[in-house]
């Protein structure tokens, strides 16, 4: 990752899927920011949606604080729509 983000994947080690998927999201985001076109936008958007539901599931399971899950979802949405 080139940039520093508010939520680091390493902050979520031990929570199934979150570190890997968050890292991949940031990679897709940086790829999109470097080359804004539909070929980079759609993978980013699709992965954001998948990550949104993964965070929600971890909140429902109790593996992640539900309020924290919502905060992360909002943050990631702001990055996608920036």
């Amino acid at each position: 990752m080139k940039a520093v983000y508010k939520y680091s994947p390493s902050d979520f080690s031990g929570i199934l899927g979150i570190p890997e998927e968050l890292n991949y999201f940031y990679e897709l985001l940086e790829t999109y920011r470097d080359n804004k076109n539909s070929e980079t936008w759609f993978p980013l958007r699709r992965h954001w949606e998948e990550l949104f539901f993964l965070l929600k599931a971890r909140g429902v399971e109790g593996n992640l604080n539900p309020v924290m899950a919502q905060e992360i979802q909002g943050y990631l949405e702001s990055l996608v729509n920036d």
Side-chain angles (χ1 to χ4, degrees):
M1 291 184 303
K2 295 182 238 176
V4 176
Y5 298 99
K6 182 176 179 179
Y7 298 102
S8 173
S10 63
D11 293 342
F12 302 96
S13 62
I15 301 177
L16 183 63
I18 300 293
E20 300 83 9
E21 298 303 324
L22 194 54
N23 189 53
Y24 186 54
F25 171 82
Y26 291 142
E27 289 175 8
L28 289 171
L29 178 64
E30 290 174 359
T31 299
Y32 173 70
R33 286 181 173 170
D34 289 342
N35 187 13
K36 292 184 178 185
N37 60 47
S38 62
E39 291 178 13
T40 57
W41 167 249
F42 289 112
L44 171 63
R45 182 67 186 183
R46 183 177 59 243
H47 190 70
W48 173 77
E49 290 173 357
E50 292 169 1
L51 184 53
F52 179 92
F53 289 109
L54 176 63
L55 290 163
K56 184 173 185 160
R58 295 302 172 257
V60 169
E61 297 167 352
N63 294 317
L64 182 64
N65 180 306
V67 174
M68 171 70 80
Q70 289 179 340
E71 289 174 5
I72 298 169
Q73 289 167 329
Y75 174 71
L76 298 178
E77 183 175 10
S78 71
L79 291 176
V80 167
N81 294 318
D82 188 23

